Amino acid sequence: MIRTEPLVFLALWLLRSASPGSCQDQPEQVHLSYLGDPTSMMVTWTTFRPAESLVAYGRDPGEAFTRVARGNATRFVDGGKLQRTMFIHRVTLRDLVPGQRYAYRCGSEQGWSRPHVFRALLSGSNWSPRFAIFGDMGLLNPQSLPRLKQETDMGLYDVVLHVGDFAYDFDTDNARVGDAFMRKIEPVAASVPYMTCPGNHEEKYNFSNYRFRFSMPGDTESLWYSWNIGPAHIISFSTEVYFYLHYGRQLVAEQFRWLEKDLQEASQPERRRERPWIITMGHRPMYCSNNDRDDCTRHESIVRCGLDPHQYGLEDLFYKYGVDLELWAHEHSYERLWPLYDYMVFNGSTEAPYTNPGAPVHIITGSAGCQERLDPFVPEPRHWSAVRIEDYGYTRMKIFNWTHLWLEQVSDDQDGKVVDGIWLIKEKHGSEVQH
């Protein structure tokens, strides 16, 4: 059980008396996650020796570090030859005031992290959350990261969505590359909730580095989860269960059943009225026009159509429940599709294709930066492809209200220029408005 108490004197004593400790005692790789409750926030970090799991925090300015929350740590052994051991600490901060700014430090008397600051998310559905969205960011060549850090410091984002592929790879060099990546992204991930889904580069040792390092809503070791923010219900899932069947075909069936149940609940009329936007995030896209042999370049994509004989396909499922927006990565480029179902375009109109469209909108944003560089496109765009950009960059999204959502693509190659942007406008949501 985790307790949160206003232990002013204990907090100050811990912070002032903490010895520098060794590198193994020092908290690192600090990151936040949002569990769906605006009065709470999860703090996760790593040490390399056992230690208490404490977070000293308070309102900023004026009450920094006046409260202490306690949590627990999970021992994680990497699957590499050295069997390196680390301790993943998790503490939930509770009784936060929505919209309030907080300062915090995490650790124990053996060592404390540097101070970080975050703002608790707002409550209810009547507000406009802002997101940075990207996939495929490695330790080497993370070209978009400096700009993302700067914009996070400027307060441009409420949440970051990382749509798979981290570090390249978490397990490389007995997980030292994973450690270095999490240190590198800490300035972003420790300041706003860092929400993730697994990609193909997380597969090693049954996705163990991914499952242990992150603390997403629900089961902390799950590959899928959902959560609410403002007027949106966001679903994160694993496309990788379709491609690594040596871990068990039953995982595909289990995730599919979970997705259908979650979509059924989110689509209930009273829930859809409160949070009309349903947005999915998964790593490998159903469609793409890149010049490679990835799943999305095939007519019968596994993610789209499912396993033989056409079981557990996601396109029909998402279409059935009126998913509005599908976010993908994996391809190291940016591609915006027309509203699309089964290779057929269902634009709202010729003049306003994204106003009341008849099918989900797909965005592929996998060019944040990694050592594999960018992916080229086929020379002629497909009839369902609206915009293709082969630059390093990332996507911004703002959900203004129940009917209007703004998406734009930022090119890091072009010094932060916005190179694409659309209004997605839906006066009605749900399966009844799909063609």
Side-chain angles (χ1 to χ4, degrees), residues 198-219:
N200 56 295
H201 279 270
E202 285 70 71
E203 179 269 337
K204 197 77 169 190
Y205 316 127
N206 194 17
F207 297 88
S208 59
N209 267 276
Y210 174 83
R211 291 186 293 108
F212 276 86
R213 288 178 186 270
F214 294 117
S215 306
M216 296 297 116
D219 182 352

Side-chain angles (χ1 to χ4, degrees), residues 92-142:
T92 301
L93 309 185
R94 303 189 187 278
D95 300 321
L96 304 177
V97 177
Q100 174 65 49
R101 178 181 163 103
Y102 288 87
Y104 72 99
R105 296 178 73 175
C106 54
S108 70
E109 63 181 33
Q110 294 166 254
W112 289 91
S113 72
R114 70 176 184 84
H116 298 283
V117 175
F118 72 90
R119 190 176 298 277
L121 297 185
L122 295 175
S123 59
S125 58
N126 190 21
W127 65 285
S128 305
R130 304 159 302 163
F131 303 81
I133 308 167
F134 57 86
D136 303 79
M137 181 180 283
L139 177 62
L140 300 178
N141 190 36

Side-chain angles (χ1 to χ4, degrees), residues 14-193:
L14 286 172
L15 290 170
R16 291 171 181 171
S17 64
S19 61
S22 71
C23 292
Q24 292 186 322
D25 296 319
Q26 193 66 26
E28 59 175 59
Q29 308 176 41
V30 181
H31 54 285
L32 300 175
S33 54
Y34 180 61
L35 305 183
D37 175 4
T39 67
S40 67
M41 191 73 75
M42 174 77 82
V43 185
T44 302
W45 71 94
T46 298
T47 62
F48 295 94
R49 288 203 298 216
E52 278 194 280
S53 304
L54 302 173
V55 175
Y57 69 106
R59 297 190 190 193
D60 182 63
E63 299 177 19
F65 316 132
T66 57
R67 307 167 86 185
V68 172
R70 292 179 171 84
N72 51 56
T74 303
R75 183 174 180 266
F76 169 53
V77 180
D78 173 63
K81 290 182 180 180
L82 296 183
Q83 296 285 286
R84 289 180 67 236
T85 297
M86 58 191 77
F87 296 87
I88 311 298
H89 300 259
R90 295 180 173 90
V91 174
T92 301
L93 309 185
R94 303 189 187 278
D95 300 321
L96 304 177
V97 177
Q100 174 65 49
R101 178 181 163 103
Y102 288 87
Y104 72 99
R105 296 178 73 175
C106 54
S108 70
E109 63 181 33
Q110 294 166 254
W112 289 91
S113 72
R114 70 176 184 84
H116 298 283
V117 175
F118 72 90
R119 190 176 298 277
L121 297 185
L122 295 175
S123 59
S125 58
N126 190 21
W127 65 285
S128 305
R130 304 159 302 163
F131 303 81
I133 308 167
F134 57 86
D136 303 79
M137 181 180 283
L139 177 62
L140 300 178
N141 190 36
Q143 184 167 319
S144 299
L145 186 54
R147 194 174 303 279
L148 285 163
K149 288 179 182 177
Q150 180 184 38
E151 293 180 348
T152 301
D153 289 341
M154 293 166 61
L156 295 190
Y157 305 118
D158 299 298
V159 176
V160 166
L161 305 181
H162 190 147
V163 193
D165 279 6
F166 309 77
Y168 282 64
D169 296 340
F170 273 140
D171 63 278
T172 301
D173 191 19
N174 294 280
R176 291 189 181 97
V177 166
D179 294 338
F181 174 80
M182 293 304 294
R183 294 184 197 111
K184 200 163 200 172
I185 205 164
E186 182 179 290
V188 171
S191 302
V192 294

